[in-house]
Every structure is written in structure tokens, then in C-alpha cells.
Amino acid sequence: MHAVDLIRKKRDGEELTRQEIQFLAHGAATETIPEEQLAAWLMAAFLRGLSLTEVDALTTAMKLSGEVFDPSSLGRFAVDKHSTGGVGDKTSFLIAPIAAAAGLVVPMISGRALGHTGGTLDKLESIPGYRTQLSLKEMEQVLSKVGASIVGQTKNLVPADRVLYALRDRTSTVESPYLICASIMSKKLAAGLNGLVLDVKTGSGAFLRRKKDALFLAALMVETGERAGTSTAALLTNMNQPLGRMAGNWIEVQESLDLLTGKRHPLNEDLRELSLLLAGWMIYLGGASDTAETGRDRAEEILDSGRALEILTEMVKLHGGNTSIFEEPEKFHSPAFRKDFLADRSGYLAQVDCTQVGWAVQRLGAGRERAGEPVSAHAGLEMHVKLGHKIVAGEPLCTLFSDNDSRFLESETLLRQALLIADEPTPAEPLIQEIITAENKKEYLESAHRP
Amino acid sequence: MHAVDLIRKKRDGEELTRQEIQFLAHGAATETIPEEQLAAWLMAAFLRGLSLTEVDALTTAMKLSGEVFDPSSLGRFAVDKHSTGGVGDKTSFLIAPIAAAAGLVVPMISGRALGHTGGTLDKLESIPGYRTQLSLKEMEQVLSKVGASIVGQTKNLVPADRVLYALRDRTSTVESPYLICASIMSKKLAAGLNGLVLDVKTGSGAFLRRKKDALFLAALMVETGERAGTSTAALLTNMNQPLGRMAGNWIEVQESLDLLTGKRHPLNEDLRELSLLLAGWMIYLGGASDTAETGRDRAEEILDSGRALEILTEMVKLHGGNTSIFEEPEKFHSPAFRKDFLADRSGYLAQVDCTQVGWAVQRLGAGRERAGEPVSAHAGLEMHVKLGHKIVAGEPLCTLFSDNDSRFLESETLLRQALLIADEPTPAEPLIQEIITAENKKEYLESAHRP
């Protein structure tokens, strides 16, 4: 088999066989196919698209390019949630312990902040001592004790994706639904999941802003998960403003702890509700409830009982984290500078360019522009208003936190463009826009535009 | 300017600016843009196509990526011919001295055998001592003395093409008319031509077998030449059987010498006529005749006068070649083995898979499968029949020459498949199928299918 022939085949719009896809994924992982050939194939795949069988074959081949996690010895069904990335999205800290409390295990392999989006690992590392780099063996031990473990990708997990993702970044082949699906699903399926719920963001803060693109990706991932034997569902959710009140690192953990300890706030009811819905789907897909709705009710019981907080606290300890930060956060995190961002007119918060808000958070020091850059644990932004709220000129729309006050100016400029105050409120959009399951995925796949 | 943005632009079907194209060509030549990015751009260009302005910009940028030849000090118009490659095509040996005799200079930068096609340089190197690797300065000296010089590409000529061509070979992006045009025309225009005639082959021995593909490429090259200020025309010519009688290296030079010395043969009247037509166009485009027709008549006068033979002989000497081979070839080239290939039935030669014939010649040792392989000067094949000829079972269809008799078997197998004898002759096709000029190129460009 020669890479040049497989490139030609995809170039001419033909379907590659499973063996051919495997040859390419193996060649990527072992670096035996040169990058210029992988790049040409990626561009051909971007422009010609992949068939469902090719996406399935690529996902499986990438998954099997490295080590995989086998949760079967734990004696409980494994479930997880994956989000396509947003601003202020800290549902993982609620969901993982809730699903664990429902009798499931959650081997959650998470990512880092990049561009305008935050990263679960960076948020967790704001807890002193928390180790995100566990081996699969260590993760298994945490799971056996507490049912949930949130870790980073190990070096040997899905090495084909490491090579292909870096290459896509350099060759403008990132935004292909087929390649995004294979990248996400290969990593998720490598954790040996029985059930997976996908939180596919749409709207101004999402990577895929157009609803039809997000829907197609969601359906493609559900199809691919189901083909691999993992019960999969996707929620298409609104990312037209930050989720909850906080966007940053430690402040997002803190907001999650508030909800885990029963402290509710009108500005983060969206976060609480989305977390319960996603946890409900995890409980249902993991076989611990009869429907997603009864799963949500079970999730709420667990949250209210304080059991989820106990599990998260225990998980943090098992990862080496110092949980005294939960009681005395000011001893650990006290950003050197804080500044209110004030409304320059009265009216209603009518529109939020949530990607710009995410970049404002990045500029404060909480995110990174390029992989590998350090992030600040303290930096971030607290929203004081939500879409549709009435605003009086001069009142604070949000409060900015940073270790460096020279960073405020750029963030304020971004926020001034991002937060639109108008005379009339715009109608509220539902938090959950669509639910894509094994039953209805076909219609979304068929109605999709293909490149 | 970032390569990743230019890749994205072409990926999305947008037109790149002249500056952007220049950035890519310069990056290729200087190896400052990594190959995986060039590969992704090549595939995007392959699948999205290039605009006429982009092809022009790419051709010019590639041409200017290295040294260029300036014939102006020679005081005569410079012309050349380029063929897209065929089997038994030795027109260069007639054309170059004819055009020189007509008062023009012919700085002919030629290529080597590859795959099923022969190469002018390999044929010339069958003349003992002939140096194909002259510097541009040395070529200028030969041109000032004799008006014609056939040389190989210098290391510093169009370096962008060297990088991009090797990359296209590895990434299945060879067969794009846009990229083929830029590759050919950048090299030809780097010779500072006033006139250029293109021999675009079509039919079973051509790279572009489909007539519409060949027509589009021809029109694209005429358009690009004219935009660069070089009078350009293209002849779409039949490559459904080897041109003339011989296919190999030395035997092709010898066949050319026969015609230059006035020895005509019914089996190479096609070679003679094509050479005169192409030379006629060179004379016309170089301003030495009023029409291509009167140019052809002038070419025939020159050929019949023996003047072209004198110039070729002088050119070979100036290149260090030993011209005593012209008088006593048997002293230099005597293939160790020869074998007749016999007809296995009676009938008419109805069809020739000329690409397979080319591979048969390659297998005999005259060609190369991969760049860099050595070739035999003696090996090759002499055809005894042409399409439409009546054949009696047992008579020789061709004679094979090789230095190694173990090579015959594979060639014979290929020839058995390639030469079809049928009960009825098929109607003869014209040698010249179309002529594309500055006047009519537009219709061919518009009627073309684009990818």
C-alpha cells in the first residue's frame, strides 16, 4: 500500500477501505508516512468529505494507534461527557461526581484552554497540588475508589491524533466535521466508554457558529459512537453568552463548589440546569435510569444531597490536590488587580459576542493563544448581567481579575465591542436547542450540507 | 503573510493575490515554507483550481525564483518548442537546427526520460562526449556561434519548480492542468523566449489521454505565454502510436539524422511532417515568416538544403560531442541482443496502446521508472508497421534491441497487449487535431471543464 495512491483516491472522491484508512492512521502515529503526504490527504478529505464508514474507520484506527483504557475490571459502566468548547463552561466539575454518585465510573480525559475557550485541566490545576498527568493505571485506582477521575491525555493515548491535530493546525484543515469527529471520538472511545453525552455548542461563543454545521457534527459523532458500541447522544446547546457567572480558572472551580454546596444564584441557573441535563443523559446512557428525564431528577437529588461535593473533594485529594483551598480560597488565590467594567449607556443586554468575551478572558491571563503558553490561576471575569437584563448606565457589567493591570485595557476594548446594550431586549433563546440521539440522528445526517 | 491563511483562502475557493502567490513560490524555492503546508496548498489548488491570473502569477513567480536567461545580447529572436511527452518523439533534433537556420536562436532546455516517455537529454547523451549540463553563459556562447543549444535544466533555474514538482509527485497533485501549466511555462519562459510552440500530445501515449483535458491545458499555456509577452501557439497532436520508426535513445538520434540527410522512409513521414509544422510555427512566432504555413515551407527548404544537418553537427561539436558517430555508428552502438517481435495473426494493425509501447521501451533499458536511474544508449525498439497497415501472421511487427536478453520477455508481454490486430482497419486519425492560438484560445478556456 502506498500513501500516494490513497491520496489520489480521496482526491478523486472515492471511498477508502478500512485497511487503507488504518494504513494512514498507523503511518501518522508511527511517523512513517511523511507529513507532506498526510497534509495532502487531510486537504483532500477536507474538500471531498469522508463517508460514514470512513469516519468510523478513521476513529477506530486512531483510537487503536496507542494505549486504550479498559474499565471493565471496575465492575461499573463507564460514561463521560464531552463539550466542543465554550466560555465559562465548568459543567465537568458537577457532572463527573454526580454520575459517579449514581453508580457509574467517569474516566474523564480532558483538554486545556486554547484560543477563546477555557480548559478543564487548567481550571483543575488552580487547585494546589492537583496532578492531571496520571497514568491509566493511576486513573483506574482513583476510579475504583471514588468513581470519577479528571485527567489529561497521556503521551501514549491516541498518538495518531497528536500528529494529525498538529498538522491540521498548520495546514488549515481544522474545521472539517469529519476530521473533528474522528479527533474527538477517537480520544473519548479510547477510554472504553459505555455511554457518552456530547455537549455541542452553537452560537457566538462556539467554534461552529452556524447551527446546521453544529447539528451535522453532533449527528456524525452520535453515529460514530453508536457504531463503536458506545451509547451516544448529543445536546446542541446555546453558547451565546458565558455559561454561569465566572470565566477563568480558579473562579470557575469556585462557582462549581457553590452549586455543589447548594448555594444557588440567579446568574448561574443556566449552568446548574445544563449540568443536571447532561448528568441525566450520562446516567441514562450508562443504564442507571430508564430515561434521560428520570436521570436528570436523580442528578438533582444527588446534587442536593451533598454527595457530589463529597466525591469531588475525595477525587481532588486522590489527585494530590489540597482541598483546604475549598474552605479558605483567599489564602491561595487573590488576584493582584480587579476592575469593574461599566455600562456606557442604559438599556437591555441585547447581544453578546461570546467569542470576544472569551478572548477578553484570555487577555486577562486566564487562557492561551498558542499551545504550551502558561496561564494564570487567578485571572478571569465575573459577569453581573445576562442576556435580556435591564441595565442602567454606569453600573458594572462585569468585574475583571488579573495579576497585571496593564492587561485590562485590551480586555475592556474587546468587551466594549462584545456586549451590546440596546433599547429593547432580544427574545431569549432556549439553552437546549436540539437533542440528537441514535433514534433521530439519521435525519440530521441526511439534511446536512456536505462540502 | 502566513502560509496557513493562504491555504485556507484557496481551500475556500478564493483567488489569491499576486503577492500571496509570490510568497508561496518564494517560500518553496527557499524552503522557508514547510513541505506539509505547500502540500496542503497544492491539494487545495488541485481541487479548487486556479484562476487565469493565479496561473500567470504562479508561473511568473516560479520563473523569477532563480536565474533567468536573457538572449537579447544575441541580436536575434529566441524561440523554442515544448512537447508534453510521448514515445519516439525526436522532433527537437530537426526543429532546433531548422529554426536556427531561419535566423532565430533556440535556447532549448530539455528533460529526461521518465515512465513511458523518452527524454531529449538521454537521447543526446548517446552521442559520446555530449555535455547537456552547460551553464547559461556556456549556452549563450553556443547560441552565438550556431543558433541552437539543447541543454539540461541548471540547478539555479526555476528552483521553485524543483521543490514543487517533487512534492506533487509524492502528494498525487501532478495531473492538475493549472500546476502542469505553471511548471512547464515557468521553465520555458525562464529562457527569455520571444516565441514558443507547444506540442500537446493526446491519445493513448499521452499523459492527458482525454482530448478535452489536453485542449484545456494547451489553451491555458497559450494564455499564460501570451500574458508573459511570449507569442505562443499550441498544436494538439496525435500520440496514438510511436512517432516515426524508432523509440529509444541513439536510434532516435539516428532516425533524425536520416531525415536531416534527406533519407526519407514511408514509416517516418509523420515525424517529418510534424517537425516541419512545429518548425514553421517557431519561424512564424519568431517573426521570420508571415504565416505558420510559409514558415513550414521555409522549414522544408532548410531541411532539404542540408543546412539543418550542418547546424546540428556543429552544435553537437560545441557541446563536446564526437560526431564521428554520425558516420560510423556501429563503432559506438551495437546492442548485444536484438529480437523480432512477430505478429501472431493476420489482419490490420487496428489499435496501439502507445503508453504500453513506451513501457516496453523502458523495460528494454532505454527509459527509467524513477528519476535518477541510468538508461542504456543502445536499447530500444524499431516499428515495422503503422496503424492501418495490413499484416500477415508471422511477420515482424517490430524489432527489439537490448543489452540484456532477459529483458525481452517483459517487453514482449507488454507489446502483445499493446498492439491490436483486427480483421478490419480502423479509420486513420489526423496527426494535427487542433491548433490553439492567441486568437482562438478563449473558446477552449471557456468550454473547458474545471475541477
Side-chain angles (χ1 to χ4, degrees):
Chain A
M1 215 175 278
H2 298 288
V4 74
D5 299 325
L6 310 188
I7 299 166
R8 183 181 299 110
K9 219 171 150 179
K10 182 41 66 189
R11 180 196 83 185
D12 294 341
E14 291 171 46
E15 188 179 42
L16 269 62
T17 66
R18 226 162 238 288
Q19 288 70 28
E20 288 169 338
I21 292 274
Q22 206 165 344
F23 176 81
L24 289 167
H26 180 78
T30 55
E31 298 177 30
T32 50
I33 297 180
E35 293 208 318
E36 67 273 18
Q37 293 192 317
L38 294 171
W41 174 74
L42 284 169
M43 183 57 81
F46 188 105
L47 288 173
R48 291 292 198 179
L50 297 180
S51 72
L52 298 180
T53 307
E54 284 178 310
V55 174
D56 175 24
L58 181 60
T59 305
T60 305
M62 284 168 70
K63 178 184 89 174
L64 296 176
S65 69
E67 62 177 354
V68 293
F69 181 65
D70 179 6
S72 59
S73 67
L74 295 166
R76 293 194 269 167
F77 282 141
V79 293
D80 196 5
K81 180 246 10 169
H82 177 82
S83 153
T84 58
V87 180
D89 183 359
K90 68 280 288 178
T91 61
S92 294
F93 306 128
L94 295 120
I95 285 171
I98 289 173
L104 302 163
V105 288
V106 186
M108 190 178 269
I109 299 165
S110 294
R112 296 203 171 269
L114 192 60
H116 75 278
T117 63
T120 298
L121 299 181
D122 296 303
K123 296 169 195 173
L124 278 171
E125 287 175 356
S126 71
I127 301 169
Y130 192 98
R131 285 176 58 221
T132 55
Q133 290 313 115
L134 301 194
S135 68
L136 293 185
K137 193 74 210 157
E138 290 173 307
M139 179 173 81
E140 187 173 359
Q141 285 162 359
V142 175
L143 289 172
S144 72
K145 286 178 188 153
V146 73
S149 179
I150 308 181
V151 301
Q153 194 181 342
T154 68
K155 198 176 166 299
N156 299 324
L157 201 98
V158 196
D161 183 62
R162 205 187 319 280
V163 172
L164 291 176
Y165 192 84
L167 202 48
R168 283 166 59 207
D169 196 42
R170 292 201 301 285
T171 59
S172 284
T173 49
V174 170
E175 311 92 323
S176 157
Y178 311 100
L179 300 175
I180 293 172
C181 173
S183 174
I184 291 175
M185 295 302 287
S186 61
K187 284 180 282 190
K188 287 288 139 182
L189 298 176
L193 304 178
N194 302 93
L196 171 65
V197 63
L198 298 155
D199 180 4
V200 179
K201 307 289 190 189
T202 183
S204 70
F207 278 110
L208 299 175
R209 292 189 172 210
R210 291 188 306 182
K211 191 172 167 183
K212 66 174 184 176
D213 294 340
L215 265 178
F216 181 64
L217 174 63
L220 206 55
M221 292 196 290
V222 171
E223 171 78 25
T224 305
E226 293 284 332
R227 282 184 185 223
T230 298
S231 300
T232 309
L235 275 59
L236 199 76
T237 72
N238 204 328
M239 185 37 76
N240 273 331
Q241 60 183 329
L243 192 62
R245 298 158 57 205
M246 305 292 188
N249 292 308
W250 165 249
I251 56 176
E252 290 201 29
V253 177
Q254 208 172 15
E255 183 179 11
S256 309
L257 289 170
D258 282 351
L259 288 176
L260 287 163
T261 51
K263 284 188 210 130
R264 294 171 69 165
H265 189 289
L267 291 186
N268 63 22
E269 281 296 310
D270 56 349
L271 168 64
R272 185 174 186 274
E273 186 53 32
L274 180 59
S275 299
L276 292 175
L277 285 168
L278 291 169
W281 274 97
M282 281 165 86
I283 291 168
Y284 166 60
L285 293 170
S289 73
D290 290 337
T291 66
E293 290 71 33
T294 55
R296 188 214 160 279
D297 296 341
R298 177 101 181 82
E300 191 160 29
E301 280 167 33
I302 292 167
L303 181 65
D304 291 345
S305 74
R307 181 77 190 113
L309 176 65
E310 284 171 32
I311 288 176
L312 186 77
T313 307
E314 198 55 33
M315 181 194 90
V316 169
K317 283 181 183 160
L318 289 169
H319 277 258
N322 179 355
T323 53
S324 70
I325 192 176
F326 293 1
E327 282 79 46
E328 299 179 294
E330 63 287 345
K331 281 198 179 170
F332 297 87
H333 294 299
S334 177
F337 300 94
R338 64 180 64 208
K339 188 174 184 188
D340 285 337
F341 178 79
L342 309 180
D344 58 0
R345 56 162 289 186
S346 298
Y348 293 89
L349 186 62
Q351 211 176 308
V352 175
D353 184 336
C354 189
T355 293
Q356 294 294 60
V357 175
W359 280 112
V361 175
Q362 187 271 328
R363 292 290 197 278
L364 290 169
R368 55 174 68 82
E369 201 165 346
R370 286 187 189 80
E373 293 173 352
V375 300
S376 157
H378 322 306
L381 168 157
E382 176 180 358
M383 294 294 297
H384 301 304
V385 287
K386 285 268 174 186
L387 279 170
H389 282 201
K390 199 169 186 339
I391 285 159
V392 178
E395 78 171 351
L397 298 174
C398 46
T399 303
L400 319 183
F401 310 107
S402 187
D403 298 328
N404 181 342
D405 63 353
S406 70
R407 288 173 170 270
F408 287 135
L409 185 65
E410 211 180 340
S411 289
E412 288 169 306
T413 307
L414 288 165
L415 289 169
R416 194 66 68 197
Q417 295 161 357
L419 306 177
L420 179 74
I421 302 170
D423 293 336
E424 300 291 330
T426 38
E429 291 178 11
L431 181 60
I432 309 300
Q433 308 225 327
E434 306 275 346
I435 296 177
I436 301 98
T437 64
E439 284 68 43
N440 69 3
K441 64 181 162 54
K442 202 156 169 266
E443 63 182 282
Y444 294 109
L445 285 173
E446 282 168 1
S447 70
H449 81 121
R450 297 194 160 222
Chain B
M1 215 177 275
H2 298 289
V4 74
D5 299 324
L6 309 189
I7 299 166
R8 181 181 301 112
K9 219 170 150 180
K10 183 42 63 190
R11 180 197 84 186
D12 294 342
E14 291 171 47
E15 187 180 42
L16 269 62
T17 65
R18 224 161 239 288
Q19 288 71 27
E20 288 170 338
I21 293 273
Q22 206 165 346
F23 176 82
L24 289 167
H26 180 79
T30 56
E31 298 179 30
T32 50
I33 297 178
E35 293 208 317
E36 67 273 19
Q37 293 193 314
L38 294 172
W41 174 75
L42 285 169
M43 182 57 82
F46 189 105
L47 288 173
R48 291 292 196 177
L50 298 180
S51 72
L52 297 181
T53 306
E54 285 179 310
V55 173
D56 175 23
L58 181 60
T59 305
T60 305
M62 285 168 69
K63 178 185 88 174
L64 296 176
S65 69
E67 62 179 353
V68 294
F69 181 64
D70 178 7
S72 59
S73 68
L74 295 166
R76 292 193 269 166
F77 282 141
V79 293
D80 195 6
K81 179 243 14 167
H82 177 81
S83 154
T84 59
V87 180
D89 182 0
K90 69 281 288 178
T91 60
S92 295
F93 308 128
L94 295 121
I95 284 172
I98 289 173
L104 302 163
V105 287
V106 186
M108 190 179 269
I109 299 165
S110 294
R112 295 201 172 271
L114 191 61
H116 75 280
T117 63
T120 298
L121 300 181
D122 297 303
K123 296 169 195 174
L124 278 172
E125 287 175 356
S126 72
I127 301 170
Y130 191 97
R131 286 176 57 221
T132 55
Q133 290 313 117
L134 300 194
S135 68
L136 293 186
K137 193 73 211 157
E138 290 174 306
M139 180 173 80
E140 188 174 0
Q141 286 161 359
V142 175
L143 289 172
S144 71
K145 287 178 188 154
V146 73
S149 178
I150 308 181
V151 300
Q153 195 180 342
T154 68
K155 197 174 165 301
N156 298 324
L157 202 98
V158 197
D161 183 63
R162 206 188 319 280
V163 172
L164 290 176
Y165 191 84
L167 202 50
R168 283 166 59 205
D169 196 43
R170 294 202 299 286
T171 59
S172 285
T173 48
V174 170
E175 310 93 324
S176 157
Y178 311 100
L179 300 175
I180 293 172
C181 172
S183 175
I184 291 175
M185 295 301 288
S186 62
K187 283 179 283 193
K188 287 288 139 183
L189 297 178
L193 303 179
N194 302 94
L196 172 65
V197 65
L198 299 155
D199 181 5
V200 179
K201 307 290 190 187
T202 183
S204 69
F207 278 109
L208 299 175
R209 291 190 173 210
R210 291 187 306 182
K211 192 174 165 182
K212 66 174 183 176
D213 294 339
L215 264 180
F216 181 63
L217 173 62
L220 206 55
M221 292 196 290
V222 171
E223 171 77 24
T224 305
E226 292 284 333
R227 282 186 184 223
T230 298
S231 300
T232 309
L235 275 60
L236 197 78
T237 72
N238 204 330
M239 188 34 78
N240 272 331
Q241 60 183 331
L243 191 64
R245 299 157 57 205
M246 303 295 188
N249 292 308
W250 166 248
I251 55 176
E252 290 201 29
V253 177
Q254 209 171 16
E255 183 179 13
S256 310
L257 290 169
D258 281 353
L259 287 175
L260 286 163
T261 51
K263 285 187 210 132
R264 293 172 67 165
H265 189 289
L267 290 186
N268 62 21
E269 282 295 311
D270 55 350
L271 168 65
R272 186 174 186 275
E273 186 54 31
L274 181 59
S275 300
L276 293 175
L277 284 169
L278 291 169
W281 273 97
M282 282 165 85
I283 291 167
Y284 166 59
L285 294 170
S289 72
D290 291 336
T291 65
E293 291 70 34
T294 55
R296 186 212 161 281
D297 295 342
R298 176 99 182 83
E300 190 160 29
E301 281 167 31
I302 292 168
L303 181 65
D304 290 345
S305 73
R307 181 75 190 116
L309 176 64
E310 285 170 31
I311 289 177
L312 186 77
T313 308
E314 198 54 32
M315 180 195 88
V316 169
K317 282 180 183 161
L318 289 170
H319 277 258
N322 179 354
T323 53
S324 69
I325 192 177
F326 292 1
E327 283 78 47
E328 299 180 297
E330 63 288 343
K331 282 199 177 167
F332 298 87
H333 294 298
S334 177
F337 300 95
R338 63 179 65 208
K339 189 175 184 190
D340 285 337
F341 178 79
L342 308 180
D344 58 359
R345 56 161 290 188
S346 298
Y348 294 88
L349 185 61
Q351 210 175 306
V352 174
D353 183 336
C354 188
T355 292
Q356 293 293 58
V357 174
W359 279 112
V361 175
Q362 187 270 329
R363 292 288 198 278
L364 290 169
R368 54 174 69 81
E369 200 166 347
R370 285 187 191 80
E373 292 174 353
V375 300
S376 157
H378 322 306
L381 167 155
E382 176 179 358
M383 294 294 296
H384 300 303
V385 287
K386 286 269 173 184
L387 279 169
H389 283 198
K390 199 170 189 336
I391 286 158
V392 178
E395 77 171 351
L397 297 175
C398 45
T399 303
L400 318 183
F401 311 106
S402 186
D403 297 328
N404 182 341
D405 64 351
S406 71
R407 288 174 169 270
F408 286 136
L409 185 64
E410 210 180 339
S411 290
E412 288 170 307
T413 307
L414 287 165
L415 289 169
R416 194 65 69 198
Q417 296 162 357
L419 306 177
L420 179 74
I421 301 169
D423 293 337
E424 300 292 330
T426 38
E429 290 178 12
L431 181 60
I432 309 299
Q433 307 224 328
E434 307 275 346
I435 297 177
I436 300 97
T437 64
E439 282 69 43
N440 69 3
K441 65 182 163 51
K442 202 155 170 266
E443 65 180 280
Y444 294 109
L445 285 173
E446 280 167 2
S447 69
H449 80 120
R450 296 193 161 223

